[in-house]
Amino acid sequence: MRNLFDKLDSRLPAFVRMANPIAWSLIWVGAIGLAMLVHLAFLVHWPDHFVHEDSAAYLDEAQSILTGHYVDDPGRRPYGVALFLVLLSKLFSPNILVFVVAQHLLSILSAILIAAAVRFAGAPRICSLLAFFLAALYGRTIHYDNTVGAETISVFLMSLPVFIASGVAFRKWPPFLSAIAIGLSLGAAMLCRSATVGAAVVILLWLAMSVDIRWIRRLGVVALAGGIAAAVYLAPNAVNRIVGKHPAGSESVAVMAFIVGYSGDFDHGVHLDRKAQARQFVNEKRATDGPLGWGVDTGEYQWPFGALNLMRRPTDSDADIEKVVRDIFIETLTTPSTLWRHLSKYFAREMYFLLFDGNVIARKASDPQGYEFFVKRDAFPFFKSPTGFKPGSLIFNYYSPPKKLSWLLPTATKLQARLDALMTYGYLPRPDRAPLCCRLTISSEYDDLPGPIRWLSASMLILLATLLVGEVVGRSGWLPPLPRNLVAIGTLMVLLALINAAFPAFLIYGLNRYAYCVTPFMAGAAGVLFAVLLDRVRLIAVNWPRGVRAMSVVEQAG
């Protein structure tokens, strides 16, 4: 495809060829500026709504490190997010507003990295631009960028090794030096969110298959990156041993509880006496679980915790109940009947819910106004939370354009008006679809209507089918094969999207925000799909005149 564009470019006048890169640079500056304005609009509209139900755990850990109480901190979550907040506190200020601004910037940078990876594979510039817009402007992404959590930093730390790996595969970057950077990024990603281990394995396997060097060197590159990632991930355990910090437990029980409750066999197997205590409760809950899940009540998804409490005995310690849950968990996954039940009845439907907004739990984000409850309940004066800011006050308090640039920059009132106008394009809570343009409408992510994620998911699945069919057709010789680099980057984007969706779906977490880790890579897949379609159109455009001429020759000969 690039050869075609190069031929067309060579036929253009010299001044046009010189203007082309300048024009695209200006287009990218405008695109990034638009994304920053949309993120700023959301931040300004919700300037004191930065804490959701899980934010307190990360802020507690960061505060304990900054105040010298790390050894005594009972935190159960990985310390990667806390270390990120500590770094921002040391570089700038221990202020929750600083944390959220950094998350918005990292989100835009993640979109740039994914778009660059698509471009490295040979996709036209317009395709990488499409991938950037879809990744950077998606409403649910911006919603969770505006709250302290593991989503933004973990996606950035997955996008970075994707960018570096594509540079190694398509632009011949130094493999071993790049492997060090990939290993550090993947290790840091797993420190922030343990579930990214699946994405790390996918990236390393893709790197092994895509790098055009000898197999011995490929294995060395992958081994180096994997070893560094494992070392970074295990480093906190070594530090804890050195400083004498004893583990305060983990969230392994919470991870296993859903599979045990939804799919465990409470009539046979291990710990039958304990299962008998919860059998009636479990059967009742399973009977009332409809095909669309639990309706509007997110808390009902967590009924397995009630089953665990019924299995607990008065003399049980946390270690005792953890052993019971682990035994039933292993039994469930190693018994064919219960494993099949879990995959067919729950995993498949949760994947559908997550990828296509199939039920209200998956498609409806919490109204940011509701986060005021968590902001007040989990106050952190150390991080200046609550901030006390009102909607729109950030612009009037901190924005003051220099007089010399007053002819270029808008006043605070005009800037606020433009930001408010951007929020009307599907970023504000409303019960119906928001008007977009050309009579198109879009879900606001806060209504009970399927959102844009279903179109991203459809694009990803169409790309997957196209890659599979293209491989078969290419090998059979019926049509020219798809461009090798586009196949490679498309495969990576699809696999990362699916593996990031599969983990919460398998555990039946049923939370809206888990789509955050899926949509950026589906945006990359959409950009690759557009590039593949353009490549097929190019083939038709090139071969059609030949077919017409051949038919004319045959007719004349006849």
Side-chain angles (χ1 to χ4, degrees):
M1 181 180 297
R2 182 167 291 178
N3 292 334
L4 176 64
F5 283 97
D6 290 341
K7 290 178 181 179
L8 293 175
D9 187 66
S10 63
R11 297 179 182 179
L12 296 175
F15 74 91
V16 176
R17 292 199 301 271
M18 293 177 60
N20 186 48
I22 298 175
W24 272 106
S25 298
L26 294 177
I27 290 172
W28 270 103
V29 169
I32 295 172
L34 174 61
M36 294 183 71
L37 281 176
V38 173
H39 281 255
L40 177 63
F42 204 99
L43 173 68
V44 168
H45 196 85
W46 307 107
D48 197 12
H49 306 77
F50 303 146
V51 178
H52 59 55
E53 59 268 25
D54 289 340
S55 300
Y58 303 115
L59 293 169
D60 270 328
E61 291 176 347
Q63 183 172 326
S64 68
I65 296 174
L66 290 169
T67 56
H69 295 91
Y70 171 72
V71 176
D72 304 322
D73 177 55
R76 295 171 179 261
R77 299 203 172 226
Y79 273 86
V81 177
L83 293 175
F84 171 63
L85 301 181
V86 169
L87 177 63
L88 291 175
S89 299
K90 294 294 186 180
L91 291 176
F92 304 101
S93 171
N95 191 318
I96 195 169
L97 187 60
V98 172
F99 303 159
V100 174
V101 169
Q103 288 191 163
H104 281 287
L105 294 176
L106 285 181
S107 179
I108 296 173
L109 187 54
S110 298
I112 295 174
L113 294 174
I114 290 173
V118 172
R119 177 63 180 158
F120 282 177
R125 291 184 179 93
I126 188 66
C127 300
S128 60
L129 185 65
L130 173 66
F132 170 78
F133 276 134
L134 293 175
L137 300 180
Y138 182 47
R140 194 175 305 180
T141 299
I142 301 174
H143 172 92
Y144 289 110
D145 289 335
N146 211 55
T147 56
V148 174
E151 292 81 20
T152 303
I153 182 64
S154 61
V155 167
F156 169 74
L157 291 171
M158 282 188 284
S159 303
L160 183 58
V162 167
F163 168 73
I164 298 172
S166 62
V168 176
F170 307 134
R171 297 301 173 96
K172 310 302 180 185
W173 289 0
F176 287 97
L177 187 62
S178 299
I180 295 174
I182 291 173
L184 292 173
S185 300
L186 293 177
M190 291 188 291
L191 270 183
C192 294
R193 186 169 174 264
S194 301
T196 56
V197 64
V201 172
V202 166
I203 292 171
L204 292 177
L205 290 177
W206 183 86
L207 186 64
M209 298 300 295
S210 301
V211 178
D212 189 16
I213 55 178
R214 291 188 302 174
W215 269 104
I216 297 298
R217 296 193 70 194
R218 291 191 197 187
L219 295 178
V221 168
V222 174
L224 177 61
I228 293 175
V232 172
Y233 179 64
L234 297 174
N237 292 332
V239 172
N240 289 343
R241 288 181 177 274
I242 294 173
V243 301
K245 178 180 173 64
H246 300 288
S250 66
E251 293 190 324
S252 59
V253 172
V255 170
M256 297 182 289
F258 289 86
I259 293 178
V260 169
Y262 278 93
S263 300
D265 186 351
F266 278 72
D267 296 317
H268 309 90
V270 298
H271 302 294
L272 268 179
D273 53 340
R274 293 177 181 266
K275 288 178 178 178
Q277 300 172 199
R279 186 176 298 138
Q280 181 180 355
F281 174 79
V282 170
N283 290 337
E284 290 175 356
K285 288 297 183 181
R286 289 179 179 177
T288 55
D289 182 10
L292 294 181
W294 291 97
V296 298
D297 192 349
T298 310
E300 285 292 338
Y301 260 96
Q302 302 182 4
W303 66 260
F305 291 123
L308 299 192
N309 290 332
L310 290 174
M311 288 193 292
R312 182 188 289 269
R313 293 171 178 169
T315 58
D316 282 346
S317 64
D318 290 342
D320 294 331
I321 194 64
E322 183 175 348
K323 182 181 183 303
V324 171
V325 174
R326 183 181 294 109
D327 291 343
I328 302 175
F329 175 80
I330 294 173
E331 177 192 53
T332 303
L333 295 185
T334 54
T335 304
S337 60
T338 53
L339 179 60
W340 174 248
R341 166 190 170 85
H342 186 74
L343 293 176
S344 60
K345 183 172 182 178
Y346 296 110
F347 174 70
R349 79 169 190 182
E350 292 294 323
M351 284 288 284
Y352 169 72
F353 292 163
L354 192 154
L355 294 177
F356 290 94
D357 276 356
N359 70 348
V360 65
I361 302 298
R363 63 175 166 255
K364 191 172 184 180
S366 300
D367 189 329
Q369 195 66 39
Y371 289 152
E372 287 187 355
F373 168 78
F374 299 106
V375 171
K376 294 176 181 177
R377 185 194 70 178
D378 303 323
F380 286 89
F382 185 84
F383 295 120
K384 300 178 178 57
S385 176
T387 64
F389 291 116
K390 302 300 180 183
S393 60
L394 285 174
I395 295 297
F396 293 100
N397 289 351
Y398 293 100
Y399 176 74
S400 179
K403 292 183 178 180
K404 294 182 179 180
L405 297 177
S406 59
W407 60 275
L408 178 64
L409 299 176
T411 63
T413 303
K414 290 183 178 179
L415 177 59
Q416 184 60 55
R418 293 175 185 176
L419 296 179
D420 291 339
L422 286 175
M423 289 293 290
T424 62
Y425 291 99
Y427 298 106
L428 284 175
R430 53 184 295 160
D432 56 347
R433 296 188 183 276
L436 195 58
C437 70
C438 307
R439 297 185 179 181
L440 296 176
T441 59
I442 189 171
S443 169
S444 67
E445 296 297 329
Y446 305 107
D447 52 32
D448 191 17
L449 298 168
I453 190 173
R454 55 182 175 157
W455 305 116
L456 293 176
S457 300
S459 299
M460 177 194 67
L461 295 179
I462 292 172
L463 175 63
L464 176 59
T466 302
L467 296 180
L468 294 175
V469 173
E471 184 68 18
V472 174
V473 173
R475 288 180 180 273
S476 66
W478 294 344
L479 288 174
L482 297 173
R484 174 178 173 274
N485 289 354
L486 289 181
V487 172
I489 196 63
T491 302
L492 178 60
M493 294 296 175
V494 169
L495 290 177
L496 286 175
L498 290 177
I499 196 69
N500 282 320
F503 184 83
F506 188 80
L507 297 178
I508 322 180
Y509 276 173
L511 292 177
N512 172 276
R513 71 170 179 268
Y514 287 113
Y516 185 105
C517 299
V518 181
T519 50
F521 302 105
M522 290 199 298
V528 176
L529 176 62
F530 188 24
V532 169
L533 294 178
L534 288 179
D535 179 76
R536 297 297 94 174
V537 170
R538 175 189 65 83
L539 283 178
I540 294 174
V542 170
N543 293 321
W544 182 265
R546 297 177 183 174
V548 172
R549 288 196 298 269
M551 291 181 64
S552 300
V553 171
V554 171
E555 290 175 356
Q556 291 174 3

